[in-house]
Amino acid sequence: MEVGVTCRNKKDITLLKIIKKNLFNIFLAIIFFFIICITLYPFLNVLAISLNDPIDTMRSVNFIIPRKFTFSNYIYVFTQNDLLTPFLMSIARTFIGTPVSVICTAMIGYVLSRRDFYFNKLFTFLFIITMYVSGGLVPEYLLMSRTLHLNNSFLVYILPGVVWVYNIILVRAFIDGLPYALQEAAMLDGANDFKIWYKVILPLCKPVLATVALFYAVGQWNSFMDTYLYARKLPTLQYVLYEIMESAKIHIDPHAVTQTTQNAVSPMSVRMAITIIATVPILLVYPFLQKYFVGGMTIGAVKD
């Protein structure tokens, strides 16, 4: 009897030692689990509402698992308009506008980071001013429509947002952190400015360029105001989804459910379905760019 009690006490003491030793790790695990829950809950809630029965949506019966699954909200979205052409237009502006913007941003950031460029501080100051002072919507509309004649032109999706000042600052700050000796060594080898930018700077800037590319891609994919103002004849997916969402003005009385209303949709469910449709494609890009977010300057410097 005493032997059994002694063994049990030893096991309890060992368990307490293990708990005390890993108490901080357990605390971190609980914190991270809580952060994951509060991060995933909004997305799961939106997904649940998009797949939820419209009557349950009107009654706010939705958490992260729909009580009654239905695809009527997605059927409503895809049957209201031909989404193939707007979808291809959004893909085209994203896959064309993003590389153009990244290249231009990398060039400007490299020029502003050059120590032998006498006006780098002046031009940096002029770029930063545009972040706080804007010309306004009316001058921009007159510039695009009357001066540049970009109405209903695909270039209206590319030229106005070809560079963002914030991204230029990011690229310049990253290049400033690179050893300037690499550029000097390339100069001694006879490389010109373009070859230094292309063969020395760009390979080292993969992490920041991936981040900037993601910013540009998300901005291109989610933009619909430029379509609304300048290019309604070239509608993008976001603009068409916005029109569908505005037209979904169906009001269902939760207390008067009939067999004919079971396949109806609610405005809230349609909005959530549109959110999922617009979000999922851009989420698929993250795994391909994630590997470029990690990596050091030294690793890039020793590459051929």
Side-chain angles (χ1 to χ4, degrees):
M1 189 71 175
E2 294 179 356
V3 174
V5 173
T6 304
C7 292
R8 187 181 303 172
N9 291 334
K10 289 183 178 179
K11 290 180 179 179
D12 293 340
I13 293 173
T14 304
L15 182 61
L16 288 175
K17 289 182 178 179
I18 294 174
I19 293 176
K20 289 181 179 179
K21 185 178 180 180
N22 299 293
L23 185 61
F24 183 71
N25 294 332
I26 295 174
F27 176 75
L28 288 180
I30 295 174
I31 295 297
F32 289 146
F33 178 77
F34 177 74
I35 293 175
I36 291 173
C37 289
I38 63 177
T39 303
L40 291 180
Y41 174 77
F43 181 79
L44 295 177
N45 182 251
V46 170
L47 181 62
I49 296 176
S50 69
L51 295 170
N52 205 9
D53 183 76
I55 307 303
D56 288 345
T57 301
M58 299 294 291
R59 293 173 176 172
S60 298
V61 184
N62 46 71
F63 295 99
I64 59 175
I65 300 178
R67 186 182 65 86
K68 182 179 179 181
F69 283 89
T70 178
F71 290 99
S72 60
N73 305 305
Y74 291 92
I75 293 174
Y76 174 83
V77 172
F78 284 103
T79 56
Q80 289 301 302
N81 290 275
D82 180 17
L83 297 182
L84 179 59
T85 301
F87 181 73
L88 295 177
M89 185 62 65
S90 293
I91 291 180
R93 67 174 297 179
T94 302
F95 277 84
I96 296 176
T98 301
V100 172
S101 297
V102 170
I103 292 173
C104 294
T105 302
M107 285 184 175
I108 298 174
Y110 168 68
V111 171
L112 294 180
S113 67
R114 287 294 299 264
R115 299 177 182 177
D116 54 352
F117 180 49
Y118 185 77
F119 299 102
N120 58 354
K121 293 184 179 180
L122 174 62
F123 279 94
T124 301
F125 177 74
L126 294 177
F127 274 118
I128 293 177
I129 286 180
T130 62
M131 298 179 64
Y132 300 96
V133 181
S134 173
L137 181 60
V138 174
E140 179 183 351
Y141 180 82
L142 295 177
L143 175 65
M144 296 299 162
S145 60
R146 296 187 180 182
T147 304
L148 300 179
H149 303 287
L150 294 179
N151 281 348
N152 296 314
S153 172
F154 184 77
L155 290 177
V156 79
Y157 294 144
I158 308 299
L159 294 182
V162 69
V163 291
W164 298 352
V165 176
Y166 178 76
N167 292 337
I168 293 175
I169 295 174
L170 284 180
V171 174
R172 180 194 170 174
F174 189 89
I175 296 176
D176 285 338
L178 299 177
Y180 193 72
L182 295 175
Q183 298 185 38
E184 292 178 340
M187 293 178 187
L188 293 176
D189 289 338
N192 55 24
D193 291 334
F194 180 80
K195 188 172 289 187
I196 293 173
W197 171 77
Y198 178 71
K199 290 191 174 182
V200 178
I201 300 300
L202 284 188
L204 301 178
C205 291
K206 284 184 179 180
V208 70
L209 292 182
T211 305
V212 168
L214 194 58
F215 290 161
Y216 281 123
V218 172
Q220 289 282 4
W221 180 263
N222 290 333
S223 179
F224 71 93
M225 186 56 67
D226 46 8
T227 305
Y228 179 80
L229 293 175
Y230 310 114
R232 295 194 182 186
K233 293 183 180 179
L234 299 173
T236 58
L237 179 64
Q238 307 299 331
Y239 178 72
V240 174
L241 293 178
Y242 170 77
E243 287 187 329
I244 296 175
M245 185 173 62
E246 289 297 313
S247 64
K249 303 290 185 181
I250 302 175
H251 301 281
I252 304 174
D253 186 2
H255 303 289
V257 181
T258 62
Q259 188 67 27
T260 58
T261 61
Q262 292 298 322
N263 295 325
V265 295
S266 68
M268 177 62 71
S269 296
V270 171
R271 287 197 293 268
M272 297 301 104
I274 290 174
T275 302
I276 294 297
I277 295 172
T279 303
V280 168
I282 202 66
L283 286 178
L284 299 178
V285 180
Y286 278 91
F288 297 99
L289 294 179
Q290 185 179 6
K291 62 181 180 180
Y292 294 108
F293 289 121
V294 290
M297 175 186 63
T298 306
I299 296 178
V302 297
K303 287 186 179 179
D304 294 333

